[in-house]
């Protein structure tokens, strides 16, 4: 639940700030799927099931090798999740299928990343947790506990967020009684859009353009004259500071001081300018703004920011699909026709 | 607090000029204001696709240009072809279509949906659908033919021989009939994806994913499966009566929007007589009995045959194997999906409905793992 008025994000009754520091991504995925936090044996079972599901199918590996190395990683993810999830007979969404899909996302991205760089693929390590294994497969070495912890917190924070556009896409697809992979592939396509998940790399790009803190105000005031949008601000739902952004901001300050010194200055100026322009609107920093600094500190390349968002959100997408499938009704809204009144077609030869 | 509408029934989620389902009067209006029954006798699929994309029927020169454009775009990229060949031949045809369209549409940088890409994606569907069937039959896919129209090329891609003109006509009419249908679930999925500023391939892949569901595009296959189980006109009454007693749903009946006979079903019903006389006989008797049973059970409901029921008979008559039905539906609807996406770009606003929280009161403190 996104409680925009009070700036709260609630997973199954738990406020995000209470989960982010303590929980592993696996625990939160369990929570989203099952409605309650796991006990030790439930968590162990889930962890080993996830670890055992990290390999790609032969078809997925072949397809991954066939895609050009310069392909947008979101297009790679969309295509390979699609091939990894093919079936011979339509299956209803289930929790084991959700686990398999969730486990495969880091493998797909890491395999592609290393291929892109001309490096040997790294096999998944079943003894590592979800966040640690992702970094291990990307970099070919174990990440420090601090970095693993930071990625884990990011994955916990982004795992679900009410009825956002990608989650809604997944639900529309599930509402036709289609399969889980279909719903996830659709959601990836929606997350790709810059108005949704495609923004964190844009934050970095804008900060790079701004360059240095002393130039920020001049650049930003000029930018507004050219109608340039400030990246990382505003949200349809929150009316106060996004609770996830608050946590990410603290992490960013600790882990990425260089980014933070420019970003916090830019944030201050952006909020001032936006408030001057629209004093009536609640202006606030969104989750993407400081995500960018955290993901950069974790060492992920910026074209993998949105795909890493998907690594987290797949838990929420699949939880929503399971919920939709359990209480289904096809999602078919109406449209308002704004075309001309009915008329007769002119035969081809007589058309001007 | 906004009102909760399960299934968004009755919620107006878009303004569109691409098509209008006038359920109360049993009319389907395509872009430009043309009624479906007026278009079918005089237009090919390419003309209708052009109409949905541009808002006007093409003249001879425009039509020639769009045909040539489509002919040129029928080949798969090397990466998409390898992806296709990597999948087991027995893979669900819709999963192959979803995957190969995704690979075909993969690109290095985000591009805004555009007409050029809409034409190209539409053109490539028959190539994929044909390859799916041929691989299932243990045959090699054939190269697309650039001298054939869209419907004829689809049959060529499936059969690998010069298509029969009668069948081409059936397929072409089917493709015209199914090309668009208001804000159905797959079209809506495409528009939601588009609303985030994503690319056209992502929109189309999401739409394929939604069409796959048995409650949407999978319904044509379900109708044919039911007819197969019934087997003959003579068996219809007994089978349907038994099925009704078991509370089984009849496939091919009912629609959320139409309150009268679906105009597409009416046209397909006529076509079915000559397309597949034997199956038509079974289907006609099935329809008669099913409508009577449904009316007796729910006299207050508008019970009517839907498009899937008669489409299954016509596609059978055109020689399309039933496991390919949903992919052929997608081959038609892709022009509508892309037209909707292009239309939505003029006033893009993220589609993000509200949900109602039904979980526990917020603020529960999570217990430490060891204490759970």
């Amino acid at each position: 639940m996104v409680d925009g008025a009070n700036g709260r994000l609630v997973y199954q009754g738990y406020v995000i700030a209470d989960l982010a520091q303590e929980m592993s991504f696996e625990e939160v995925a369990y929570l989203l799927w099952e409605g309650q936090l796991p006990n030790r044996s439930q968590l162990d079972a889930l962890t080993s099931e996830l670890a055992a599901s990290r390999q790609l199918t032969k078809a997925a590996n072949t397809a991954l090798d066939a895609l050009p190395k310069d392909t947008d990683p979101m297009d790679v993810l969309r295509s390979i999740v699609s091939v990894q999830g093919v079936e011979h007979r339509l299956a209803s969404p289930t929790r084991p299928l959700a686990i398999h899909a969730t486990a495969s996302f880091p493998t797909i991205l890491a395999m592609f990343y290393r291929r892109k760089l001309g490096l040997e693929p790294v096999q998944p390590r079943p003894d590592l947790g979800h966040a640690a294994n992702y970094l291990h497969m990307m970099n070919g070495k174990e990440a420090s506990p601090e970095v693993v912890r930071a990625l884990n917190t990011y994955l916990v924070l982004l795992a679900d967020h009410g009825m956002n556009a990608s989650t809604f896409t997944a639900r529309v697809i599930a509402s036709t009684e289609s399969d889980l992979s279909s719903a996830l592939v659709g959601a990836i396509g929606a997350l790709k859009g810059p108005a949704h998940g495609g923004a964190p790399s844009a934050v970095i790009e804008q900060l790079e353009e701004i360059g240095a803190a002393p130039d920020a105000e001049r650049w930003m005031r000029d930018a507004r004259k050219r109608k340039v949008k400030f990246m990382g601000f505003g949200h349809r739902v929150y009316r106060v500071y996004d609770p996830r952004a608050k946590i990410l901001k603290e992490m960013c300050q600790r882990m990425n001081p260089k980014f933070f010194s420019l970003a916090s200055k830019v944030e201050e100026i952006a909020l001032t300018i936006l408030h001057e322009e629209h004093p009536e609107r609640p202006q606030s920093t969104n989750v993407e703004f400081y995500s960018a600094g955290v993901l950069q500190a974790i060492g992920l390349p910026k074209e993998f920011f949105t795909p890493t968002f998907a690594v987290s959100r797949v838990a929420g997408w699949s939880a929503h699909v399971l919920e939709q499938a359990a209480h289904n009704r096809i999602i078919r809204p109406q449209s308002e026709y704004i075309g001309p009144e009915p008329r007769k077609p002119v035969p081809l030869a007589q058309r001007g | 607090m906004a009102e909760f509408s399960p299934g968004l029934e009755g919620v107006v989620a878009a303004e569109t000029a691409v098509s209008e389902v006038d359920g109360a009067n049993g009319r389907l209006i395509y872009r430009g204001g043309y009624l479906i029954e007026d278009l079918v006798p005089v237009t090919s699929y390419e003309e209708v696709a052009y109409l949905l994309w541009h808002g006007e029927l093409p003249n001879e020169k425009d039509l020639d240009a769009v045909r040539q454009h489509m002919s040129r775009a029928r080949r798969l990229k090397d990466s998409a072809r390898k992806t296709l060949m990597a999948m087991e031949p027995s893979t669900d045809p819709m999963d192959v279509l979803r995957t190969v369209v995704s690979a075909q549409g993969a690109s290095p940088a985000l591009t805004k949906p555009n007409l050029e890409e809409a034409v190209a994606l539409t053109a490539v569907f028959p190539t994929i659908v044909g390859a799916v069937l041929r691989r299932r039959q243990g045959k090699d896919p054939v190269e697309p033919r650039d001298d054939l129209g869209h419907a004829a090329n689809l049959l060529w891609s499936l059969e690998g021989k010069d298509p029969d003109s009668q069948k081409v006509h059936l397929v072409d009419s089917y493709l015209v009939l199914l090309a668009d249908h208001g804000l159905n679930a797959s079209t809506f999925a495409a528009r939601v994806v588009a609303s985030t500023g994503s690319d056209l391939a992502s929109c189309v892949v999401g739409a394929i994913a939604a069409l796959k569901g048995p409650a949407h595009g999978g319904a044509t296959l379900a109708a044919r499966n039911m007819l197969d189980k019934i087997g003959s006109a003579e068996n219809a009454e007994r089978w349907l009566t038994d099925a009704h007693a078991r509370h089984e749903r009849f496939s091919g009946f009912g629609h959320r929007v139409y309150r009268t006979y679906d105009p597409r079903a009416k046209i397909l019903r006529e076509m079915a007589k000559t397309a597949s006389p034997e199956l038509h006989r079974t289907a006609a008797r099935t329809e008669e009995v099913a409508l009577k049973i449904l009316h007796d059970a729910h006299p207050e409901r508008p019970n009517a045959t839907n498009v899937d029921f008669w489409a299954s008979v016509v596609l059978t008559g055109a020689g399309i194997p039933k496991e390919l039905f949903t992919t052929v539906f997608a081959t038609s609807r892709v022009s509508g999906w892309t037209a909707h996406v292009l239309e939505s770009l003029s006033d893009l606003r993220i589609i993000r409905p509200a949900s109602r929280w039904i979980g526990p009161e917020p603020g529960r403190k999570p217990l430490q793992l060891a204490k759970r």
Side-chain angles (χ1 to χ4, degrees):
Chain A
M1 160 179 153
V2 182
D3 175 6
N6 299 307
R8 294 194 305 181
L9 169 62
V10 183
Y11 291 171
Q12 303 277 8
Y14 299 113
V15 175
I16 193 69
D18 291 332
L19 296 172
Q21 313 294 340
E22 303 293 332
M23 301 289 154
S24 67
F25 173 72
E26 287 88 331
E27 283 172 273
V28 168
Y30 188 99
L31 171 66
L32 294 173
W33 292 330
E34 295 289 326
Q36 57 184 40
L37 286 164
N39 62 29
R40 169 54 73 187
S41 72
Q42 289 162 335
L43 179 60
D44 287 349
L46 174 65
T47 304
S48 56
E49 224 180 316
L50 276 166
S53 313
R54 288 178 182 151
Q55 298 288 347
L56 300 187
T57 62
K58 193 160 157 279
N61 271 314
T62 310
L64 191 63
D65 283 340
L67 291 170
K69 287 182 184 173
D70 63 354
T71 306
D72 181 329
M74 283 302 276
D75 289 6
V76 174
L77 190 64
R78 187 187 69 209
S79 304
I80 307 303
V81 168
S82 180
V83 57
Q84 173 82 2
V86 298
E87 54 190 19
H88 300 278
R89 184 173 273 282
L90 182 69
S92 301
T94 61
R95 194 165 66 88
L97 290 171
I99 294 171
H100 292 315
T102 303
S104 71
F105 277 41
T107 310
I108 294 168
L109 295 172
M111 291 283 182
F112 179 71
Y113 175 62
R114 295 187 66 85
R115 189 170 148 260
K116 193 176 158 73
L117 297 183
L119 300 169
E120 282 297 305
V122 172
Q123 291 309 310
R125 280 250 313 260
D127 60 316
L128 294 178
H130 200 67
N133 175 63
Y134 179 32
L135 292 171
H136 173 253
M137 290 189 74
M138 288 287 281
N139 303 323
K141 57 175 201 274
E142 261 187 72
S144 74
E146 195 211 354
V147 166
V148 170
R149 198 176 146 83
L151 178 60
N152 181 71
T153 303
Y154 171 85
L155 295 178
V156 167
L157 287 172
L158 276 286
D160 200 44
H161 201 245
M163 197 66 85
N164 56 85
S166 58
T167 301
F168 184 53
T169 303
R171 278 194 178 248
V172 171
I173 293 169
S175 84
T176 71
E177 296 163 31
S178 192
D179 63 310
L180 178 65
S181 299
S182 287
L184 298 179
V185 167
I188 293 166
L191 189 70
K192 187 187 171 190
H196 187 8
S201 50
V203 170
I204 293 261
E205 281 149 24
Q206 193 162 70
L207 290 172
E208 280 167 359
E209 267 189 70
I210 294 171
D215 305 326
E217 177 140 15
R218 193 167 41 83
W219 189 96
M220 292 170 77
R221 295 221 175 256
D222 279 359
R224 286 311 273 185
K225 284 182 202 138
R226 287 177 283 123
K227 305 259 181 249
V228 172
K229 216 179 138 231
F230 293 154
M231 303 313 293
F233 297 90
H235 195 278
R236 165 121 27 125
V237 183
Y238 288 110
R239 292 291 163 256
V240 296
Y241 211 95
D242 182 332
R244 301 167 302 167
K246 202 185 291 176
I247 297 166
L248 289 162
K249 184 175 182 177
E250 287 159 18
M251 288 167 67
C252 190
Q253 183 168 18
R254 201 170 62 238
M255 297 182 67
N256 198 346
K258 187 165 166 277
F259 177 98
F260 185 80
S261 68
L262 175 60
S264 54
K265 184 76 188 158
V266 167
E267 180 187 27
E268 192 189 308
I269 300 165
L271 293 176
T272 308
I273 296 176
L274 292 170
H275 182 75
E276 284 166 16
E277 289 173 8
H278 297 285
E280 75 293 355
R281 281 193 208 159
Q283 300 294 350
S284 78
T285 317
N286 66 35
V287 70
E288 266 123 34
F289 190 72
Y290 286 109
S291 284
V294 169
L295 293 173
Q296 190 181 53
I298 288 168
L300 291 167
K302 68 178 183 212
E303 66 273 25
F304 282 78
F305 288 2
T306 306
T308 302
F309 187 167
V311 167
S312 165
R313 187 56 59 87
V314 61
W317 290 334
S318 45
H320 276 274
V321 168
L322 293 172
E323 187 178 81
Q324 180 75 34
H327 311 278
N328 190 46
R329 185 168 166 76
I330 192 163
I331 300 177
R332 198 212 187 284
Q334 289 182 6
S335 48
E336 184 90 37
Y337 180 64
I338 53 168
E341 278 303 298
R343 55 182 171 148
K344 296 282 177 199
V346 176
L348 179 61
Q350 289 163 35
R351 286 174 219 152
Chain B
M1 187 85 189
E3 202 176 320
F4 174 42
S5 299
L8 298 188
E9 188 163 354
V11 171
V12 176
E15 284 188 327
T16 184
V18 180
S19 73
E20 160 76 350
V21 183
D22 176 4
N25 300 305
R27 295 194 305 181
L28 171 59
I29 304 161
Y30 275 6
R31 198 160 180 188
Y34 302 115
L35 296 178
I36 192 69
E37 58 270 31
D38 293 335
L39 286 169
V40 173
V42 299
T43 52
S44 63
Y45 178 70
E46 289 92 323
E47 285 169 87
V48 164
Y50 185 101
L51 170 68
L52 296 176
W53 291 325
H54 293 270
E56 276 307 328
L57 283 165
N59 61 26
E60 277 170 335
K61 197 168 129 273
D62 299 329
L63 179 60
D64 199 43
V66 80
R67 282 199 165 133
Q68 284 187 29
H69 187 171
M70 289 176 84
S71 296
R72 282 196 308 275
R74 284 178 183 154
R75 282 185 170 65
L76 287 172
K77 288 181 190 168
D78 188 48
S79 52
R81 198 181 48 78
K82 283 185 180 149
T83 301
L84 168 73
M85 299 307 279
M87 280 178 274
E88 285 175 43
S90 58
T91 305
D92 182 301
M94 284 300 277
D95 289 5
V96 181
L97 186 65
R98 183 188 72 205
T99 306
V100 179
V101 169
S102 179
Q104 178 80 358
S107 71
L110 179 73
T111 45
K112 219 172 128 175
N114 57 67
L115 184 64
E116 169 95 18
E117 224 185 323
V119 176
L121 278 175
T122 303
V124 86
F125 272 49
T127 310
I128 302 168
V129 174
V132 167
L133 177 67
R134 297 184 64 80
R135 293 184 75 237
R136 287 171 86 87
Q137 296 170 336
K139 298 177 195 157
D140 286 329
V142 290
E143 286 295 313
R145 286 255 300 265
D146 51 18
D147 60 323
L148 297 176
H150 198 68
N153 179 59
L154 172 60
L155 283 167
W156 157 259
S157 301
L158 292 165
E159 298 171 348
K161 59 174 199 216
D162 274 332
D164 167 83
S165 64
Q166 199 55 42
K167 286 184 182 173
V168 173
H169 179 70
L170 291 174
V171 171
D172 198 29
S173 302
Y174 169 86
L175 294 175
V176 167
L177 282 163
L178 275 285
D180 203 49
H181 201 247
L183 212 50
N184 56 85
S186 57
T187 302
F188 184 52
R191 285 186 88 125
V192 176
V193 175
S195 81
T196 71
S198 194
D199 64 313
L200 189 60
S202 290
C203 301
V204 170
V205 167
I208 293 169
L211 191 71
K212 185 187 173 190
H216 188 9
T220 318
L221 171 61
R224 169 64 198 278
N225 281 337
M226 187 179 82
L227 290 173
D228 287 352
K229 281 189 215 157
I230 293 170
S232 67
E234 291 65 36
N235 196 34
E237 183 150 11
R238 193 166 50 83
W239 193 94
L240 289 161
T241 310
D242 288 355
H244 186 66
R246 292 192 304 268
H247 302 287
E248 239 174 76
R249 266 192 69 222
F250 297 160
S251 300
F253 295 88
H255 193 279
R256 186 181 291 181
V257 183
Y258 288 110
R259 292 291 163 255
T260 62
Y261 208 95
D262 181 332
R264 301 167 301 170
K266 202 185 292 174
I267 297 165
L268 288 162
R269 187 180 203 269
E270 264 317 293
M271 286 165 61
K273 282 184 193 160
T274 49
S276 187
E278 187 56 30
L279 190 57
H280 177 271
R281 220 170 66 79
T282 309
R285 178 67 185 147
T286 298
E287 180 182 41
E288 190 187 338
V289 178
L291 289 177
K292 186 170 181 319
I293 293 174
L294 290 170
H295 182 78
D296 289 348
H298 300 284
E300 75 292 355
R301 284 194 206 158
N303 286 301
T305 320
N306 63 36
V307 68
D308 299 294
F309 186 80
W310 287 109
S312 79
V313 183
V314 169
L315 290 177
T316 301
I320 312 268
K322 65 181 177 180
E323 64 272 24
L324 275 278
F325 282 1
T326 318
T327 58
V328 175
F329 186 169
T331 300
S332 166
R333 186 59 58 87
V334 61
S335 58
W337 293 331
T338 50
H340 275 272
V341 169
L342 294 173
E343 177 188 58
S344 75
L345 295 182
S346 64
D347 183 24
L348 209 57
R349 188 172 155 75
I350 194 160
I351 300 177
R352 197 207 188 287
S355 48
R356 178 175 288 174
W357 169 250
I358 53 166
E361 263 309 291
R364 294 158 82 194
K365 294 294 170 198
L367 279 178
Q368 298 289 338
L369 179 60
K371 296 186 186 143
R372 279 175 227 149

